[in-house]
C-alpha cells in the first residue's frame, strides 16, 4: 500500500491581531500583490509589517494587544498608606493583579494578599491603569501574620520619610483576549501596516523602481503606459495619503480613551 507524506510548514501563537491573508483581503482589494515576474509578496514580509505596526500602536497608546505578564516598581508615599487606601498607577491597563511586595534595598519587607488587590473595567470592557489596595474581611485574620506583624516592622522605619522610590514591586496581567480585540485598533494596525507594503508594490508596479511610464512603438503603432509615480512619489501614493489621514484622525479621537490622562506629582 502506497503512502503519501506531506511536509507542511506552519506557524502558531504569532501574536498577530490580523493575519496576512486578512490584510491583503481588506486593504488590498483589487490590487495585485505580485511583481512583474509573477513572484508573490511573501507572507513573512507582510507579517513583519503587521508586527511593526502593532508595536508602534502599543507604544503610542501604552497598551498591549496580547496577554502579557508585566512587572514594574512603584514609589511608596507615606500619606497614601497612613491616611487612606492607596491607589497604584500602572503603565498599562491591569486585567488581573497578581502580587504587590515591598522591598527596601532588595530585602523583602511586606507582601499583600492577592485578595486585597482590586482592579476595575468600564461597561465597554476597557481596564484602567491602576490597582486599588482594599482590605477584605475574608482575608483579615489570615493576613495578620503577613501584613500586620511584618507591615508594622517595615513601616516603623519609613514613617520619617515622605516617599521611598521603587519600594513596591507589582506584577499584573495586561492585554486583550482574542475575541475582545477592539475593531478600531485592528483597523489602525491594518492601515499602518499597509502603508509600507503599498510603497513596495508601488515602486515595482512597472517592473522596476523609479519608472513612471513605458512606451512601445512598432510599425507606426505605439502604446504608452503612464502611472501617477513621480520623483518622491509612487503608484499608490494617493491611497497611502488617505490612510495616513485616517490614522491621524483616529488616533486623535481614541488617544484619550486608551492612553488616558497622565498625572504627575509635584
Amino acid at each position: 500500500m502506497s503512502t503519501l507524506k506531506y511536509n507542511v510548514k506552519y506557524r502558531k501563537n504569532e501574536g498577530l491581531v490580523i493575519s496576512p491573508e486578512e490584510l491583503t483581503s481588506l486593504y488590498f482589494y483589487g490590487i495585485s500583490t505580485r511583481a512583474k515576474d509573477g513572484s508573490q509578496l511573501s507572507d513573512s514580509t507582510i507579517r513583519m509589517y503587521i508586527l511593526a505596526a502593532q508595536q508602534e500602536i502599543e507604544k503610542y497608546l501604552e497598551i498591549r494587544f496580547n496577554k502579557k505578564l508585566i512587572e514594574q516598581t512603584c514609589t511608596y508615599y507615606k500619606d497614601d498608606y497612613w491616611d487612606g487606601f492607596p491607589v497604584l498607577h500602572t503603565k498599562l491597563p491591569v486585567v488581573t493583579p497578581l502580587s504587590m511586595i515591598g522591598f527596601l534595598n532588595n530585602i523583602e519587607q511586606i507582601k499583600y494578599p492577592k485578595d486585597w488587590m482590586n482592579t476595575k473595567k468600564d461597561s465597554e470592557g476597557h481596564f484602567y491603569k491602576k490597582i486599588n489596595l482594599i482590605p477584605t474581611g475574608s482575608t483579615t485574620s489570615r493576613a495578620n501574620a503577613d501584613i500586620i506583624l511584618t507591615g508594622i516592622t517595615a513601616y516603623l522605619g519609613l514613617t520619617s520619610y515622605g516617599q521611598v522610590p521603587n519600594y513596591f514591586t507589582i506584577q499584573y496581567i495586561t492585554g486583550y483576549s482574542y475575541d475582545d480585540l477592539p475593531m478600531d485598533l485592528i483597523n489602525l494596525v491594518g492601515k499602518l501596516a499597509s502603508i509600507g507594503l503599498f510603497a513596495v508594490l508601488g515602486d515595482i508596479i512597472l517592473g522596476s523602481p523609479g519608472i513612471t511610464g513605458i512606451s512601445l512603438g512598432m510599425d507606426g503603432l505605439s502604446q504608452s503606459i503612464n502611472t501617477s509615480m513621480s520623483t518622491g512619489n509612487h503608484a499608490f501614493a494617493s491611497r497611502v495619503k488617505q490612510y495616513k489621514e485616517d490614522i491621524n484622525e483616529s488616533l486623535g479621537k481614541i488617544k484619550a480613551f486608551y492612553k488616558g490622562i497622565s498625572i504627575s506629582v509635584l
Side-chain angles (χ1 to χ4, degrees):
M1 181 177 179
S2 60
T3 302
L4 292 177
K5 183 178 180 181
Y6 295 94
N7 294 321
V8 181
K9 293 183 178 180
Y10 67 94
R11 294 173 180 264
K12 65 178 181 179
N13 299 331
E14 294 181 295
L16 299 178
V17 300
I18 184 172
S19 68
E21 293 77 10
E22 290 173 327
L23 183 74
T24 54
S25 175
L26 292 172
Y27 301 96
F28 290 83
Y29 179 77
I31 298 176
S32 175
T33 56
R34 293 183 180 273
K36 190 176 181 181
D37 60 1
S39 60
Q40 177 71 40
L41 189 66
S42 66
D43 284 349
S44 60
T45 300
I46 301 176
R47 190 176 296 109
M48 188 277 295
Y49 279 99
I50 295 175
L51 288 174
Q54 285 184 206
Q55 292 182 10
E56 190 169 347
I57 296 297
E58 286 179 338
K59 292 177 181 178
Y60 182 78
L61 296 179
E62 296 179 354
I63 60 173
R64 294 294 181 269
F65 287 107
N66 302 296
K67 290 290 182 66
K68 186 176 182 180
L69 172 65
I70 303 297
E71 180 177 302
Q72 71 173 82
T73 58
C74 296
T75 299
Y76 163 84
Y77 295 101
K78 182 180 67 175
D79 294 340
D80 289 345
Y81 295 87
W82 290 91
D83 296 338
F85 296 136
V87 177
L88 284 79
H89 295 279
T90 60
K91 296 183 297 184
L92 303 169
V94 180
V95 176
T96 305
L98 299 177
S99 68
M100 177 180 173
I101 305 174
F103 291 92
L104 192 60
N105 197 21
N106 296 324
I107 299 175
E108 181 178 326
Q109 289 193 308
I110 187 168
K111 182 177 182 180
Y112 289 94
K114 183 179 178 181
D115 295 341
W116 287 29
M117 292 177 286
N118 180 269
T119 185
K120 295 293 184 181
K121 64 178 179 179
D122 58 22
S123 59
E124 298 181 356
H126 177 70
F127 289 90
Y128 295 106
K129 297 180 179 180
K130 63 181 181 179
I131 297 176
N132 302 307
L133 188 64
I134 304 176
T136 58
S138 60
T139 58
T140 301
S141 59
R142 177 172 59 82
N144 278 342
D146 297 333
I147 299 300
I148 297 178
L149 295 181
T150 307
I152 289 177
T153 304
Y155 285 145
L156 284 178
L158 300 179
T159 53
S160 59
Y161 300 99
Q163 68 180 54
V164 179
N166 301 322
Y167 180 74
F168 285 110
T169 297
I170 59 175
Q171 291 183 334
Y172 57 92
I173 300 295
T174 190
Y176 294 93
S177 299
Y178 180 78
D179 295 331
D180 297 330
L181 282 169
M183 294 304 298
D184 53 356
L185 297 183
I186 296 177
N187 189 37
L188 280 175
V189 172
K191 288 182 178 180
L192 187 59
S194 300
I195 290 177
L197 294 171
F198 273 124
V200 174
L201 295 174
D203 283 341
I204 64 175
I205 191 171
L206 291 178
S208 180
I211 297 180
T212 61
I214 295 178
S215 297
L216 176 64
M218 181 180 296
D219 295 334
L221 298 176
S222 63
Q223 181 181 18
S224 62
I225 301 175
N226 297 308
T227 71
S228 60
M229 291 189 292
S230 61
T231 303
N233 203 359
H234 59 78
F236 301 112
S238 59
R239 179 78 67 94
V240 169
K241 180 180 178 182
Q242 181 62 46
Y243 279 2
K244 287 182 178 179
E245 292 176 355
D246 292 345
I247 291 172
N248 290 331
E249 183 178 357
S250 297
L251 287 176
K253 294 177 180 178
I254 68 176
K255 178 181 178 181
F257 180 80
Y258 288 102
K259 191 172 183 178
I261 301 175
S262 300
I263 300 176
S264 59
V265 179
L266 300 177

